[in-house]
Amino acid sequence: MTAPISHRARAWQRFAHNRLAVVSVGFLGLLLLAILAGPLVWPYDPTVPTGQQFQPPDFKHWFGTDVHGRDLLARVLYGARISLLVGAVGTAVSLFIGVLWGAVAGYLGGRLDAALMRVVDVLYSLPSIVFVIVLITTLEDLFKRWLVHWLSPQWGGVARLLFLFAGLGAVSWLTMARIVRGQVLSLRTRGFVEASRALGANHWQIIRWHILPNVRGIVIAYLVLTVPSVILSESFLSYLGLGIQPPQASLGSLIADGAGQINPIRMYWWLITMPGMVLVSTLLALNYFGDGMREALETRE
Amino acid sequence: MFYLKRILFCIPLLLVISFLSFSLVRLAPGGPFDKERKPASPEIERQLRAKYHLDEPVLKQYWRFLKGAVQGDLGPSLKYRNQNVTDIILQGLPVSLTLGSIAFVFALAVGIPLGCATAARRGRWVDMAGSFFALLAVCIPGFVAGPILIMLFALHWRWFPVGLWESPLHAVLPALTLGLFYAGKIARLMREGMLSVLPAEFIVTARAKGASEVAVLWRHAFRLAVLPVVSYSGPLLADLLTGSFVVENIFQIPGIGVFMVNSALNRDYPLVIGLVLVYAALLLILNMLVDFFYSVLDPRVRYE
């Protein structure tokens, strides 16, 4: 007979058995290492031209060089850093809104729940990225002026970045709200919560001691799944020229640069394939990681 | 009766959306006559603004817009002078709708069999490979797939023409690019739906009666298993619309997706609002169709 193990330990075991998920975590770890330590080791600067334009990948420039002769690997490392940053912060914003929205709806229930969830349904079926596009094009100048006026002129340069954080976070919370609401709704009526209420615990104590610890796992799993969708939205906007602006770069804007160089005479395939490959494998790894976590936590015995 | 209510609910929603976008674009600093289109003198600018009624209070402008919109007139475009927003949209909409439908049919044709196959062979190599391709398709954005397809099939091998919208051949690569993501998404939803249905008792019964595996999947399980796909079609169609911005941009297709981004950047107020409204109306209609299909497929669902 095996020793009894906790729910968490069992979920962990299930996750460790999922080879794809474990490989993905390894890949993400390597990617993080490359992004953080790469620029220290790699001899080229993402913004300094090497003098050799359109070099195909070789031992000197692993990813080749771009139209200005800048080393593409250095640029991809830099771009991936921005993309992941937007993904992480955008997800954090969506976590805040989604958990609050879902928890309020699920915990208080009734009419308020119905109204809040109806809003989620309606927003779900609208192309949210259109709102981000309209928001960015309309309010950005205002926001930039405001930043420069109240803080300092340097802040003007990061206005777009802050806008992406807020905008992408503000449209990515819907799934999180649904998940949290569903969990809270079912937890609320469980025996241990009712027992706690009968013992005189107030709302805050119930949320703190019973609800939060129980939704934490699934929230983290969906958090990991939100990151790739935010990264995807950011690169989508950057591709359209509405995201990260030069001299900054993200994976999306690098791909856009590569797509701009397509012509029937010379094929600069590495300009689009290299950043594209990094983007796709990052999204893939994050999805496998998140799926693995969700499956490990959701399986009931 | 239910659908009548749904339609009535759409009207205030469209009003709210139009008002929000209307006030938002008016709030933005920088007008449609900035930059290179700056008129020669303040006098001319004042006259231009007066011509397009930009000098009136916002609420009055909104009222004027509403009166026109009800009659199908969305106002003049500020960027493409001498063209009506309605004309621009009517020109581009059929193209975008054609492209979107082809992509959607492609996605269903690939996604549904793939999802069923991976579910039926759960845990085997078919499932491993199929699920991997489904997730890969979800993770390859159109702006990566599109240029690569152009480089391979249009420039290198010259199998398909690109850059025009004339023959069915021109639609192959864009539809593939646009449909790839949805094919993967539908396959994943279909697989999950199948996996949740297959342990049900009526499936066990069908198997016990000696129904073949194919008959079990298609005749018995499919109708219930496809429900997640149907219920997720609403958000999926919204994604299809936004995906078309990029695909129309890459392949230079004269649809309305290209205008969405450009008009927002150009501050072409009437065009932005017109497009947002068309998109919203389109999605509301499509969502209603989705709900209708859902109730047809699942007799337990009845909208009273």
Side-chain angles (χ1 to χ4, degrees), chain A residues 85-102:
Chain A
L85 181 71
V86 173
V89 180
T91 303
V93 173
S94 83
L95 169 79
F96 180 73
I97 307 176
V99 169
L100 203 65
W101 196 279

Side-chain angles (χ1 to χ4, degrees), chain B residues 199-259:
Chain B
E201 278 172 5
F202 71 92
I203 298 292
V204 179
T205 313
R207 284 218 176 95
K209 285 195 322 194
S212 73
E213 197 56 34
V214 175
V216 167
L217 283 182
W218 286 111
R219 304 248 330 259
H220 298 270
F222 183 76
R223 204 169 147 161
L224 268 184
V226 80
L227 287 180
V229 178
V230 178
S231 66
Y232 198 69
S233 293
L236 221 54
L237 288 165
D239 282 347
L240 197 72
L241 280 183
T242 46
S244 70
F245 300 169
V246 159
V247 173
E248 287 180 13
N249 182 313
I250 294 173
F251 290 92
Q252 300 292 311
I253 293 167
I256 54 172
V258 188
F259 285 112

Side-chain angles (χ1 to χ4, degrees), chain B residues 159-172:
Chain B
W159 289 354
F160 295 105
V162 283
L164 285 167
W165 187 253
E166 282 174 345
S167 66
L169 274 184
H170 283 95
V172 173

Side-chain angles (χ1 to χ4, degrees), chain A residues 118 124-125 127 129 134 137-138 141-142 145 232 235-236 239-240 242 255 262-263 272 280 283-284 287-288 291, chain B residues 9 24 28-29 132 135-136 139 141 143-144 147 151 155 188 235 242 245-246 250 260-261 264-265 267 283 287:
Chain A
R118 184 84 193 114
Y124 238 117
S125 57
I129 210 84
V134 173
T137 49
T138 53
D141 286 349
L142 207 68
R145 238 179 266 168
L232 197 59
S235 47
F236 179 86
Y239 181 86
L240 292 174
L242 294 164
I255 292 166
I262 288 186
N263 64 69
I272 192 148
V280 171
L283 296 177
L284 210 56
N287 271 305
Y288 270 124
D291 272 351
Chain B
F9 177 73
L24 203 61
F132 174 75
L135 188 57
L136 190 66
C139 289
F143 50 85
V144 175
M151 281 197 288
L155 297 180
R188 284 165 66 78
T242 46
F245 300 169
V246 159
I250 294 173
M260 184 63 231
V261 178
L265 282 174
R267 306 204 187 294
L283 280 169
N287 274 308

Side-chain angles (χ1 to χ4, degrees), chain A:
Chain A
M1 198 182 146
T2 50
I5 48 175
S6 72
H7 178 69
R8 190 180 299 178
R10 227 174 310 155
W12 180 241
Q13 274 182 359
R14 272 196 298 264
F15 184 81
H17 274 293
N18 189 339
R19 248 175 296 165
L20 277 168
V22 174
V23 169
S24 297
V25 174
F27 172 81
L28 291 171
L30 282 178
L31 184 74
L32 269 183
L33 190 72
I35 286 171
L36 296 176
L40 302 174
V41 185
W42 193 241
Y44 301 102
D45 187 278
T47 51
V48 178
T50 59
Q52 296 161 300
Q53 294 169 288
F54 294 127
Q55 285 286 310
D58 57 18
F59 284 111
K60 228 169 127 225
H61 303 284
W62 291 359
F63 281 12
T65 61
D66 71 356
V67 57
H68 301 299
R70 295 173 294 194
D71 181 75
L72 193 58
L73 178 56
R75 290 188 66 69
V76 167
L77 287 177
Y78 176 75
R81 196 191 277 196
I82 300 274
S83 283
L84 284 179
L85 181 71
V86 173
V89 180
T91 303
V93 173
S94 83
L95 169 79
F96 180 73
I97 307 176
V99 169
L100 203 65
W101 196 279
V104 167
Y107 193 77
L108 297 179
R111 281 253 178 94
L112 186 67
D113 177 28
L116 289 179
M117 284 300 127
R118 184 84 193 114
V119 170
V120 170
D121 287 343
V122 170
L123 289 179
Y124 238 117
S125 57
L126 294 174
S128 47
I129 210 84
V130 172
F131 293 120
V132 181
I133 290 175
V134 173
L135 271 179
I136 284 181
T137 49
T138 53
L139 294 185
E140 198 201 3
D141 286 349
L142 207 68
F143 182 62
K144 201 185 258 175
R145 238 179 266 168
W146 187 80
L147 274 182
V148 170
H149 183 80
W150 292 103
L151 292 164
S152 69
Q154 296 106 285
W155 282 86
V158 294
R160 181 59 71 86
L161 203 58
L162 292 177
F163 232 92
L164 285 175
F165 289 162
L168 293 177
V171 296
S172 308
W173 54 273
L174 298 174
T175 311
M176 185 65 85
R178 271 195 184 168
I179 301 289
V180 170
R181 181 239 178 203
Q183 292 280 320
V184 171
L185 206 61
S186 75
L187 279 170
R188 200 173 53 138
T189 52
R190 294 274 283 279
F192 61 91
V193 174
E194 279 177 1
S196 185
R197 187 171 298 138
L199 285 171
N202 60 29
H203 286 316
W204 174 241
Q205 284 166 329
I206 290 173
I207 289 174
R208 175 78 185 75
W209 296 111
H210 299 299
I211 308 281
L212 280 184
N214 278 305
V215 295
R216 196 167 49 203
I218 202 74
V219 163
I220 293 172
Y222 275 93
L223 215 52
V224 175
L225 289 172
T226 309
V227 177
S229 80
V230 175
I231 292 180
L232 197 59
S233 306
E234 180 276 321
S235 47
F236 179 86
L237 289 176
S238 291
Y239 181 86
L240 292 174
L242 294 164
I244 300 294
Q245 298 293 301
Q248 289 176 326
S250 79
L251 291 175
S253 70
L254 290 174
I255 292 166
D257 291 346
Q261 296 296 336
I262 288 186
N263 64 69
I265 301 147
R266 295 288 297 275
M267 214 111 53
Y268 305 119
W269 55 269
W270 58 92
L271 289 183
I272 192 148
T273 319
M274 294 305 181
M277 204 176 62
V278 172
L279 176 66
V280 171
S281 47
T282 306
L283 296 177
L284 210 56
L286 282 165
N287 271 305
Y288 270 124
F289 179 25
D291 272 351
M293 247 162 73
R294 199 188 48 174
E295 276 164 27
L297 286 164
E298 270 181 356
T299 313
R300 292 179 193 87
E301 45 271 290

